[in-house]
Amino acid sequence: MSMRPLHLHPDRLFPADPEVRAITRRLYDHVATLPIISPHGHTDPQWFAQNAPFANASELLLQPDHYVFRMLYSQGVPLEALGLTPVSVDAARAVDPREAWRILASHYHLFRGTPSRMWLDWVFAEGFGIDVQLTAETSDLYYDRITGALATPEFRPRALFERFNIEVITTTESPLDTLDHHRTIADSNWNGRVLTAYRPDPVVDPEYEGFRDNLARFAELTGEDTFSYAGYLAAHRKRRAFFAKHGATSTDHGHPTALTADLSRAEADALFARVIRPDVSPQDAELFRAQMLTEMAGMSVEDGLVMQIHPGALRNHNPQVFARFGRDKGADMPMRTDYVHALRPLLARHGNNPDLTIILFTLDETVYARELAPLAGHYPALKLGPAWWFHDSPEGMRRFRLSMTETAGFYNTVGFNDDTRAFLSIPARHDVARRVDCGFLATLVAEHRMEEWEAAELAHDLSYALAKKAYRL
Amino acid sequence: MSMRPLHLHPDRLFPADPEVRAITRRLYDHVATLPIISPHGHTDPQWFAQNAPFANASELLLQPDHYVFRMLYSQGVPLEALGLTPVSVDAARAVDPREAWRILASHYHLFRGTPSRMWLDWVFAEGFGIDVQLTAETSDLYYDRITGALATPEFRPRALFERFNIEVITTTESPLDTLDHHRTIADSNWNGRVLTAYRPDPVVDPEYEGFRDNLARFAELTGEDTFSYAGYLAAHRKRRAFFAKHGATSTDHGHPTALTADLSRAEADALFARVIRPDVSPQDAELFRAQMLTEMAGMSVEDGLVMQIHPGALRNHNPQVFARFGRDKGADMPMRTDYVHALRPLLARHGNNPDLTIILFTLDETVYARELAPLAGHYPALKLGPAWWFHDSPEGMRRFRLSMTETAGFYNTVGFNDDTRAFLSIPARHDVARRVDCGFLATLVAEHRMEEWEAAELAHDLSYALAKKAYRL
Amino acid sequence: MSMRPLHLHPDRLFPADPEVRAITRRLYDHVATLPIISPHGHTDPQWFAQNAPFANASELLLQPDHYVFRMLYSQGVPLEALGLTPVSVDAARAVDPREAWRILASHYHLFRGTPSRMWLDWVFAEGFGIDVQLTAETSDLYYDRITGALATPEFRPRALFERFNIEVITTTESPLDTLDHHRTIADSNWNGRVLTAYRPDPVVDPEYEGFRDNLARFAELTGEDTFSYAGYLAAHRKRRAFFAKHGATSTDHGHPTALTADLSRAEADALFARVIRPDVSPQDAELFRAQMLTEMAGMSVEDGLVMQIHPGALRNHNPQVFARFGRDKGADMPMRTDYVHALRPLLARHGNNPDLTIILFTLDETVYARELAPLAGHYPALKLGPAWWFHDSPEGMRRFRLSMTETAGFYNTVGFNDDTRAFLSIPARHDVARRVDCGFLATLVAEHRMEEWEAAELAHDLSYALAKKAYRL
């Protein structure tokens, strides 16, 4: 096979109908170059603190991207061959990153029809100026071009941040994090806004690895007795304030379910005494997570941090992959998730507070029209996060808009989150969202369900303004 | 901002593709002016009995419409400010309806992309001849125009009924209702057909407010001993006959789930003895509702009333709103709902009876293709009600047709229900349904899955004939 | 009504947009005449062994097709009137097949918008050369034309097999089947490939009719002590080898749920001792089916048979129809089905094996994007079967592709299954799948999400190559 051209068509993702496409183009022209608001994600603040170059194509684009290596693994490629590092040092063997890249290149057809393909092609074409498709034949060309570029100043993290027109980006840290990198950035003469978010799962989930050790560290950092419930809550308050002082405007909660509880203080004290013991029961662990969502909402009422709830993933579904490679290796699976019953205790306590913002996410699309849109279309405290994770894709976003809009409207949504560790793909991801939203709006215009000037206002809101407002950025 | 024109485009809601749109237009032309069959809804029979004028814009269009005020509430507008009346008189304070209207006007952009926007714009443009969009600037113009029109004879309920070309409309009453308004209408020299439907929830659901008092009143009205099961069932039979005599052709059942049961007479007697006690358990309450669905189906076999089942709403999800404002304030939330297991006892008893009609509704769209279409595509007694409540919307209707048709066909569906208390929006709602159905049919024609003459027959059936036939009107 | 022409439009099922349609046409031209790979279905091997003529139109097209008679039944047509045979001979009465056909003809409008209509019209037009629509008026014309043709050599089973360009077809047999028909075919001078598949439900499901008798027969056929767990497993191994020797490349498992288990040998021995008793509990029956899925996967690792899991049908929902007519009479209903939790024991044991292929099917579309695509996009052993049964329809296939592709890609899917006993409809069903897949791919091309040459490769893979590879044919 000869080399195939790689070309990002200017109309990509726009609906095919000529009239709808023409409207989409006009709407997209308004928003294509707006700054990026990235209010939730997993980039590493160290990149921006140290501004060191990325090492090579595989280390940048393949090994950290669970979307990419899970697809290769599903078709029989061992994770070791891609250079993923086993947990046990004994098991580690060096993999030539160029060879790992060749595996990606020769399997690149597997990504046809997936968002990974769209994101990667954008990185290749827009990021590195490559104009042929990735195949076995072009693998070395790609590897050399990308790895070579990464050694240049233009591809240092801060330079990319500026080139990508990022107005603000938020990372995610544990309460046990000292936020040194964020402080380094703030103290530097660089003006990039890199904020943190408070993700307390390691000290909130009694089933988290090292929970009791985490509580001990939590005590050290705060000077509170974190093995009493009062001290534990006080530690959260202190740490939230510390995060807010370093720019945080939000918290994030990655629970298996959306269950909430509103226990009496005596019940909560007794529960806490049980969950700090090593033999915590699954029921108590779940109830404690539930109680803590309501406690965290209460603290958000006090300190103004926006609360994000990301439930519904069964983590580490594959015990062999977990034992060998650890967390976040593409083996988390979505589960059916209830919100209407689960959130009721929290909402009964705080849901009518218009000064509180709780942003809900889901991996279970069946709740879009049935539960999330009706809830967010009523409770002043609730907003809807964008299509998440497996649903962060053109069809996923379309289903989100088609299912949510009629009951929740646009203004109970909060714009786009890239939610990624794949830094170079951030502009591509925001661009996909803008294109899909403009196409959705254009269809409403073409069907005379909205005027084009209204769609233009909304395109701006969905691409930029709503995220900034909802996350208080 | 200057005043924006308000214009209902004749092609609104038609698919954008020119060929599909042209077919849609032709189909729609056949059905646009057909009379309205409104076989299920919540208009107030007093309107048509007394034919008094509506008071003002807010009282007509804002305060009774939970779709509208729930959206405003979700964005921080207090319900009091909209003029909703608190349950406690002490808490009430007068709200100027013109001020309430101004709040709606200044927040009208929240409704972009929602069916409320389409319905209201129709009412404004077609109902009142207004030709500028509703905004803060045009609020008073709207308020005065609408309120002024309502004082004229053309806007009295009966005149609107005739202008809207309503062939028949069905209201919904409790067995405890004396149907005085329906009798007044029947005894008047006005020919409008306003029927009732038998909605026995207040005497069927042991958890309904005042259940025991309701049973006492049920006894007074029927002369039966409604605290024995035999007398209780006899009272239903008498009351159903009374409703049928006043024009009812249907019953309606608003249970939390679709559970049915088919107990032995001894079991049912014992259950009844338990549920009439003040300390009824939730399990017994649920089982009694389940048993009563099967009993009601049996009575429908006897008396020919069409049975409607509307399950799946968790009522009064928000305790603060319920305590302050009571029922039906936009705080009911859909729940996951099972039909395949739940309906089995009833269907085993009555499902094979082709003379019985049970119309199923759902708030859980996941059951469309998985449960409802397979059930209705097999059992002679079952038919499928239209997309309901939160799903009574263009996309909701499209999902309904796309998910149901291939397994259940069109002829196991029953046309459109407006299910509304918002009288002025009834033509708009039927028009939306006709437009969406014609667009769906046109797509089948354009994809050569159906001939256009077949689609024209179906457009008539879906817009008019199926509702009339299924509801025996 | 005069006679309406019957015409299969060459663009049927292609998207309406002219550009997308043009791309679809080009893609479809590549695959329209590819041979049929039918790797899973329920045709009767006796047809191909004996090559006897089919009797008449009703016996061929109406009485065996549960899609058809369930729709007629749902609209009040008694199954007896269609010639379905009651279980009890006493209840049987002869039905003139011409009269049964007339009922279908006069109700044919019920199938508007259904896949049955598309399949039947193909059979009428392409199979029998009829050029008028089926109506009450044309019923006898149809009956005579079809019944007459069936008496000719061109309509014998083997001639149709060749005319339909079937490269290979797989039937489904119980382990208790002696495969005589398959042996007859193999020993004949006819070269048609008609393979079997191992469907062990009658000896795996303790709730199957005659389970203990089946085990006794299983012992006779294998010489193993099938009432000990060791002997029982050995019997499976022998029988699988026997099936493989007769061409089987796959097994099939029709469990109510997807539950799997991985018991210790001692636990499994004890469980087996309980399930072979007549008083087996539902819990033990379910656990045994669960354990057997994992055992079967282990045997597939040994012998290379591809494993198919078809869960989620509540069989025989209608007790009256079951009592009168037995199984498979259109009264099976889909149920909500979990995979993420249910499959975990099996996947923990065998899911990382790239030499194992397990093909998952579902009747619960909510799991497409939430569970099946994430699972198949990670586990090397998993592949996704096509849209199944009620979802084997144009819209069902579109939902499948739209929901699955972005997370699982195309290469974790396995092409099309017709899964039918309606032999004459097989080409129509494959043609529908090819048309819908080409339309889906064309939309991706038109939205510049894929190059047209890639779509052409994929069209070939989805229509032909993937099924052949996944089923090892």
Side-chain angles (χ1 to χ4, degrees):
Chain A
M1 192 185 301
S2 63
M3 286 198 289
R4 301 279 190 174
L6 173 62
H7 172 59
L8 301 183
H9 197 284
D11 286 342
R12 63 192 184 279
L13 288 172
F14 292 172
D17 177 82
E19 187 201 340
V20 181
R21 181 163 287 186
I23 301 167
T24 308
R25 271 192 207 121
R26 292 196 295 271
L27 296 174
Y28 178 72
D29 282 348
H30 290 301
V31 301
T33 60
L34 284 174
I36 287 174
I37 305 291
S38 175
H40 175 82
H42 300 278
T43 52
D44 187 341
Q46 185 175 347
W47 298 336
F48 310 109
Q50 302 186 348
N51 202 31
F54 296 108
N56 60 59
S58 293
E59 192 178 313
L60 178 67
L61 299 174
L62 169 55
Q63 287 146 9
D65 192 335
H66 54 76
Y67 288 89
V68 173
F69 61 69
R70 80 192 306 276
M71 177 66 91
L72 297 173
Y73 185 67
S74 80
Q75 290 274 318
V77 176
L79 294 178
E80 290 88 345
L82 299 172
L84 270 74
T85 312
V87 170
S88 157
V89 176
D90 297 344
R93 61 188 170 100
V95 166
D96 179 352
R98 180 182 297 272
E99 290 302 320
W101 188 260
R102 282 179 183 153
I103 294 174
L104 171 62
S106 63
H107 289 78
Y108 197 55
H109 64 285
L110 298 178
F111 295 93
R112 288 173 180 163
T114 72
S116 294
R117 160 75 179 269
M118 301 207 74
W119 300 330
L120 285 171
D121 276 358
W122 186 95
V123 170
F124 300 153
E126 289 290 313
F128 294 98
I130 299 173
D131 61 3
V132 293
Q133 277 208 7
L134 179 60
T135 62
E137 288 77 10
T138 61
S139 179
D140 282 358
L141 180 155
Y142 264 72
Y143 187 82
D144 292 334
R145 176 82 68 94
I146 294 169
T147 305
L150 294 177
T152 66
E154 292 78 11
F155 284 84
R156 295 286 179 99
R158 291 182 181 181
L160 289 171
F161 185 103
E162 288 160 12
R163 174 175 159 200
F164 291 165
N165 197 17
I166 297 173
E167 183 173 314
V168 56
I169 198 168
T170 301
T171 66
T172 309
E173 273 77 38
S174 152
L176 308 182
D177 194 291
T178 52
L179 304 184
D180 292 344
H181 298 306
H182 288 85
R183 199 156 38 240
T184 300
I185 297 166
D187 292 347
S188 76
N189 59 358
W190 182 59
N191 288 324
R193 286 185 74 198
V194 180
L195 310 181
T196 184
Y198 188 73
R199 171 94 170 214
D201 302 1
V203 293
V204 159
D205 180 0
E207 296 177 322
Y208 207 94
E209 298 95 298
F211 174 65
R212 285 163 52 87
D213 294 342
N214 296 342
L215 289 188
R217 176 73 182 136
F218 202 32
E220 286 172 28
L221 285 168
T222 58
E224 297 288 344
D225 171 12
T226 59
F227 289 85
S228 80
Y229 194 49
Y232 171 79
L233 295 178
H236 275 295
R237 283 192 174 85
K238 280 193 178 171
R239 219 56 201 149
R240 291 171 63 108
F242 177 77
F243 270 59
K245 202 183 74 179
H246 287 77
T249 69
S250 61
T251 72
D252 184 30
H253 307 273
H255 292 200
T257 76
L259 193 73
T260 66
D262 193 8
L263 304 177
S264 71
R265 185 54 186 259
E267 290 169 323
D269 280 338
L271 174 63
F272 187 73
R274 294 197 303 275
V275 301
I276 59 177
R277 296 198 326 219
D279 60 341
V280 58
S281 71
Q283 293 74 24
D284 275 348
E286 176 70 353
L287 182 59
F288 185 69
R289 290 186 296 257
Q291 173 65 15
M292 283 308 295
L293 285 182
T294 307
E295 296 282 7
M296 288 283 137
M299 292 187 199
S300 280
V301 170
E302 296 169 10
D303 64 18
L305 294 182
V306 171
M307 183 175 188
Q308 299 172 92
I309 305 179
H310 281 94
L314 194 164
R315 303 275 171 181
N316 311 314
H317 190 273
N318 188 330
Q320 293 182 28
V321 165
F322 181 66
R324 188 159 177 82
F325 296 99
R327 286 183 157 257
D328 298 327
K329 293 302 174 290
D332 299 338
M333 299 296 158
M335 293 182 291
R336 207 157 59 207
T337 308
D338 161 72
Y339 293 79
V340 159
H341 297 94
L343 292 175
R344 210 175 181 192
L346 185 158
L347 292 172
R349 170 75 55 182
H350 298 297
N352 293 288
N353 188 332
D355 298 324
L356 173 65
T357 298
I358 301 173
I359 301 174
L360 299 175
F361 294 80
T362 196
L363 295 174
D364 180 356
E365 294 177 311
T366 68
V367 304
Y368 281 172
R370 188 182 64 215
E371 304 188 24
L372 293 185
L375 286 166
H378 167 70
Y379 281 101
L382 292 183
K383 294 281 181 292
L384 300 172
W388 177 38
W389 197 339
F390 296 104
H391 310 306
D392 177 11
S393 64
E395 299 305 334
M397 291 173 189
R398 287 173 182 171
R399 287 195 291 268
F400 177 90
R401 291 285 175 217
L402 284 166
S403 300
M404 292 292 206
T405 307
E406 295 182 313
T407 292
F410 290 103
Y411 293 94
N412 284 309
T413 65
V414 302
F416 181 66
N417 284 187
D418 55 71
D419 192 24
T420 191
R421 9 179 99 64
F423 181 42
L424 267 79
S425 75
I426 286 177
R429 290 168 191 251
H430 285 260
D431 188 60
V432 167
R434 291 173 186 186
R435 289 173 177 274
V436 172
D437 280 339
C438 288
F440 178 73
L441 292 165
T443 302
L444 295 182
V445 173
E447 294 186 359
H448 305 290
R449 297 157 73 176
M450 182 181 288
E451 303 294 329
E452 188 166 334
W453 68 268
E454 296 178 292
E457 275 189 21
L458 278 165
H460 185 272
D461 288 340
L462 301 182
S463 301
Y464 179 78
L466 285 177
K468 204 164 165 175
K469 183 180 174 199
Y471 282 90
R472 308 182 181 184
L473 293 169
Chain B
M1 191 185 301
S2 62
M3 286 198 289
R4 301 277 190 176
L6 173 62
H7 173 58
L8 301 184
H9 197 285
D11 287 343
R12 64 192 184 279
L13 288 171
F14 292 172
D17 177 83
E19 186 200 341
V20 181
R21 182 164 286 184
I23 301 168
T24 307
R25 270 192 209 121
R26 292 196 295 271
L27 296 174
Y28 178 72
D29 281 349
H30 290 301
V31 301
T33 61
L34 284 173
I36 287 174
I37 305 292
S38 176
H40 176 82
H42 300 277
T43 52
D44 188 340
Q46 184 174 348
W47 298 337
F48 309 109
Q50 302 186 347
N51 202 31
F54 296 107
N56 59 60
S58 294
E59 193 178 312
L60 177 67
L61 298 174
L62 168 55
Q63 287 146 9
D65 191 336
H66 53 77
Y67 288 89
V68 173
F69 60 69
R70 80 191 306 275
M71 177 66 90
L72 298 172
Y73 185 68
S74 79
Q75 291 274 317
V77 176
L79 294 178
E80 289 88 345
L82 299 172
L84 270 72
T85 311
V87 170
S88 156
V89 176
D90 295 345
R93 61 189 169 98
V95 167
D96 180 351
R98 180 182 298 271
E99 291 301 321
W101 187 260
R102 282 179 183 153
I103 295 174
L104 171 62
S106 63
H107 289 78
Y108 197 56
H109 63 285
L110 299 178
F111 296 93
R112 288 172 179 163
T114 71
S116 294
R117 160 73 179 271
M118 300 207 74
W119 300 330
L120 285 172
D121 276 358
W122 186 95
V123 170
F124 301 153
E126 289 290 314
F128 294 97
I130 300 173
D131 60 4
V132 293
Q133 276 208 7
L134 179 60
T135 61
E137 287 78 9
T138 61
S139 179
D140 283 359
L141 180 155
Y142 264 73
Y143 186 83
D144 292 333
R145 176 82 68 94
I146 293 169
T147 305
L150 294 178
T152 66
E154 293 76 14
F155 285 84
R156 295 285 180 100
R158 292 182 180 181
L160 289 171
F161 186 103
E162 289 160 12
R163 174 176 159 200
F164 292 165
N165 196 17
I166 296 173
E167 183 173 315
V168 57
I169 198 169
T170 302
T171 66
T172 309
E173 273 77 37
S174 151
L176 308 181
D177 195 289
T178 52
L179 305 184
D180 293 343
H181 298 307
H182 289 85
R183 198 156 37 240
T184 300
I185 297 166
D187 293 347
S188 76
N189 59 358
W190 181 59
N191 289 324
R193 287 185 74 198
V194 180
L195 310 181
T196 183
Y198 188 73
R199 171 93 170 215
D201 302 1
V203 293
V204 158
D205 179 1
E207 296 177 322
Y208 207 94
E209 298 95 298
F211 174 65
R212 286 164 53 87
D213 293 343
N214 296 343
L215 289 187
R217 175 74 181 133
F218 202 32
E220 286 173 28
L221 284 168
T222 58
E224 298 287 343
D225 172 11
T226 59
F227 290 85
S228 80
Y229 194 49
Y232 171 79
L233 294 178
H236 275 294
R237 283 191 174 85
K238 280 193 178 171
R239 219 57 199 146
R240 291 171 63 108
F242 178 77
F243 271 59
K245 202 184 72 177
H246 286 78
T249 69
S250 61
T251 72
D252 184 31
H253 307 273
H255 292 200
T257 75
L259 192 73
T260 65
D262 192 8
L263 303 177
S264 71
R265 185 54 186 259
E267 290 169 322
D269 280 338
L271 175 63
F272 187 73
R274 295 197 302 277
V275 301
I276 58 177
R277 297 195 328 216
D279 60 342
V280 59
S281 72
Q283 292 74 26
D284 276 347
E286 176 70 353
L287 183 59
F288 185 69
R289 290 187 296 257
Q291 173 64 15
M292 284 308 295
L293 285 183
T294 307
E295 297 281 8
M296 287 284 137
M299 292 186 200
S300 281
V301 170
E302 296 168 10
D303 64 19
L305 293 183
V306 171
M307 183 176 189
Q308 299 172 90
I309 306 179
H310 280 95
L314 194 165
R315 304 275 171 181
N316 311 314
H317 190 273
N318 188 330
Q320 293 183 28
V321 165
F322 181 66
R324 190 160 174 81
F325 295 98
R327 286 182 158 256
D328 298 327
K329 292 302 174 292
D332 299 338
M333 299 296 158
M335 294 182 290
R336 208 156 60 206
T337 308
D338 162 72
Y339 293 79
V340 159
H341 297 94
L343 292 176
R344 210 175 180 191
L346 185 158
L347 292 172
R349 170 76 53 184
H350 298 297
N352 293 287
N353 187 333
D355 298 323
L356 173 65
T357 297
I358 301 173
I359 300 175
L360 299 176
F361 294 80
T362 194
L363 294 174
D364 180 355
E365 294 176 311
T366 69
V367 305
Y368 280 172
R370 187 182 65 216
E371 304 187 25
L372 292 186
L375 286 166
H378 167 70
Y379 281 101
L382 292 183
K383 293 281 180 293
L384 301 172
W388 176 40
W389 197 340
F390 297 104
H391 310 306
D392 177 10
S393 63
E395 300 304 334
M397 292 174 188
R398 287 173 181 170
R399 287 194 291 269
F400 176 89
R401 291 284 175 218
L402 284 167
S403 300
M404 291 293 204
T405 307
E406 295 182 314
T407 291
F410 290 102
Y411 293 94
N412 284 308
T413 65
V414 302
F416 181 66
N417 284 187
D418 55 71
D419 191 24
T420 191
R421 8 179 100 64
F423 180 43
L424 267 80
S425 74
I426 285 178
R429 290 169 190 249
H430 285 260
D431 189 59
V432 168
R434 292 174 185 187
R435 289 173 176 275
V436 171
D437 280 339
C438 288
F440 177 74
L441 292 166
T443 303
L444 296 183
V445 173
E447 295 186 359
H448 305 290
R449 297 157 74 177
M450 183 181 286
E451 304 293 331
E452 189 167 333
W453 68 268
E454 296 178 292
E457 275 190 20
L458 278 165
H460 186 273
D461 289 339
L462 302 182
S463 301
Y464 179 78
L466 284 176
K468 205 164 164 175
K469 181 179 174 199
Y471 282 90
R472 308 182 181 183
L473 293 168
Chain C
M1 190 185 303
S2 62
M3 286 199 288
R4 300 278 191 175
L6 173 62
H7 172 59
L8 301 184
H9 197 285
D11 287 343
R12 64 192 184 278
L13 287 172
F14 293 172
D17 177 82
E19 186 200 339
V20 181
R21 181 164 287 186
I23 301 168
T24 307
R25 270 192 208 122
R26 292 196 294 271
L27 296 174
Y28 178 71
D29 282 348
H30 291 301
V31 300
T33 60
L34 285 173
I36 287 174
I37 305 291
S38 176
H40 176 82
H42 299 278
T43 52
D44 188 340
Q46 185 176 347
W47 297 336
F48 308 110
Q50 303 186 346
N51 202 30
F54 296 107
N56 59 60
S58 293
E59 192 178 314
L60 178 68
L61 298 173
L62 169 55
Q63 287 146 7
D65 192 335
H66 53 75
Y67 288 89
V68 173
F69 60 69
R70 82 192 304 275
M71 178 66 91
L72 298 171
Y73 185 68
S74 80
Q75 290 275 318
V77 176
L79 294 178
E80 289 88 344
L82 299 172
L84 271 74
T85 312
V87 171
S88 156
V89 177
D90 296 345
R93 61 188 169 100
V95 167
D96 179 352
R98 180 182 297 272
E99 291 302 321
W101 187 261
R102 281 179 184 153
I103 295 174
L104 171 61
S106 63
H107 290 78
Y108 197 55
H109 64 285
L110 299 178
F111 295 94
R112 288 172 179 164
T114 72
S116 295
R117 160 72 180 271
M118 300 207 74
W119 300 330
L120 286 171
D121 276 358
W122 187 95
V123 170
F124 300 153
E126 289 290 314
F128 295 97
I130 300 173
D131 61 3
V132 293
Q133 278 207 8
L134 179 61
T135 61
E137 288 76 11
T138 61
S139 179
D140 283 358
L141 180 155
Y142 265 72
Y143 186 82
D144 292 333
R145 176 82 69 95
I146 293 170
T147 305
L150 293 178
T152 66
E154 293 77 13
F155 285 85
R156 295 285 179 100
R158 291 182 181 181
L160 289 171
F161 186 103
E162 288 159 12
R163 174 175 158 199
F164 291 165
N165 196 17
I166 297 174
E167 182 173 314
V168 56
I169 198 168
T170 301
T171 65
T172 309
E173 273 76 37
S174 150
L176 308 181
D177 194 289
T178 51
L179 304 184
D180 293 343
H181 297 307
H182 288 85
R183 198 156 38 240
T184 300
I185 297 166
D187 293 345
S188 75
N189 60 356
W190 182 58
N191 288 323
R193 286 185 73 199
V194 179
L195 310 181
T196 183
Y198 188 73
R199 170 93 170 216
D201 301 3
V203 293
V204 158
D205 179 359
E207 295 176 324
Y208 207 94
E209 298 95 298
F211 175 64
R212 285 164 53 88
D213 294 341
N214 296 342
L215 289 187
R217 174 74 182 136
F218 202 29
E220 287 172 26
L221 284 167
T222 58
E224 298 288 343
D225 172 12
T226 58
F227 289 86
S228 81
Y229 194 50
Y232 171 79
L233 294 178
H236 274 295
R237 283 191 174 84
K238 280 192 178 172
R239 219 58 199 145
R240 290 171 64 108
F242 177 77
F243 271 59
K245 203 183 73 177
H246 286 77
T249 69
S250 61
T251 72
D252 184 31
H253 307 273
H255 292 200
T257 76
L259 193 72
T260 66
D262 192 9
L263 304 177
S264 71
R265 185 55 186 259
E267 291 169 322
D269 279 339
L271 175 63
F272 186 73
R274 294 197 302 276
V275 300
I276 59 178
R277 297 195 329 216
D279 60 343
V280 58
S281 72
Q283 293 74 26
D284 276 347
E286 176 70 354
L287 183 59
F288 185 69
R289 290 187 295 258
Q291 173 64 16
M292 283 309 296
L293 284 182
T294 308
E295 296 281 8
M296 288 283 137
M299 292 187 200
S300 281
V301 169
E302 297 168 11
D303 63 19
L305 294 183
V306 171
M307 183 175 188
Q308 299 172 90
I309 305 179
H310 280 92
L314 194 165
R315 303 274 170 181
N316 311 315
H317 190 274
N318 188 330
Q320 293 183 28
V321 165
F322 181 66
R324 188 159 177 79
F325 295 98
R327 287 182 156 255
D328 299 326
K329 293 301 174 291
D332 300 337
M333 298 296 158
M335 294 182 290
R336 208 157 60 207
T337 308
D338 162 72
Y339 293 79
V340 159
H341 297 93
L343 292 176
R344 211 175 180 192
L346 186 158
L347 292 172
R349 170 75 54 182
H350 299 296
N352 292 287
N353 187 332
D355 298 324
L356 173 65
T357 298
I358 301 173
I359 301 174
L360 299 175
F361 294 80
T362 194
L363 294 174
D364 180 356
E365 294 176 311
T366 69
V367 304
Y368 280 172
R370 187 183 64 215
E371 305 187 26
L372 292 186
L375 286 166
H378 168 69
Y379 282 100
L382 292 183
K383 294 281 179 293
L384 301 171
W388 176 40
W389 196 341
F390 297 105
H391 310 307
D392 177 11
S393 63
E395 299 305 333
M397 291 173 190
R398 286 173 182 169
R399 287 194 291 269
F400 176 90
R401 292 284 175 218
L402 285 166
S403 299
M404 291 293 204
T405 306
E406 295 182 313
T407 291
F410 290 102
Y411 293 95
N412 284 308
T413 65
V414 302
F416 181 66
N417 283 187
D418 54 71
D419 192 23
T420 191
R421 10 179 99 64
F423 180 43
L424 267 80
S425 75
I426 286 178
R429 289 169 191 250
H430 285 259
D431 188 59
V432 168
R434 291 173 186 187
R435 288 172 177 275
V436 171
D437 280 338
C438 288
F440 178 74
L441 291 165
T443 303
L444 295 182
V445 173
E447 294 185 0
H448 305 289
R449 297 156 74 177
M450 182 181 287
E451 304 294 331
E452 189 167 333
W453 67 268
E454 297 178 291
E457 275 189 21
L458 278 164
H460 186 274
D461 288 340
L462 301 182
S463 300
Y464 179 78
L466 285 176
K468 204 164 164 174
K469 182 179 173 199
Y471 282 90
R472 308 182 181 184
L473 293 168

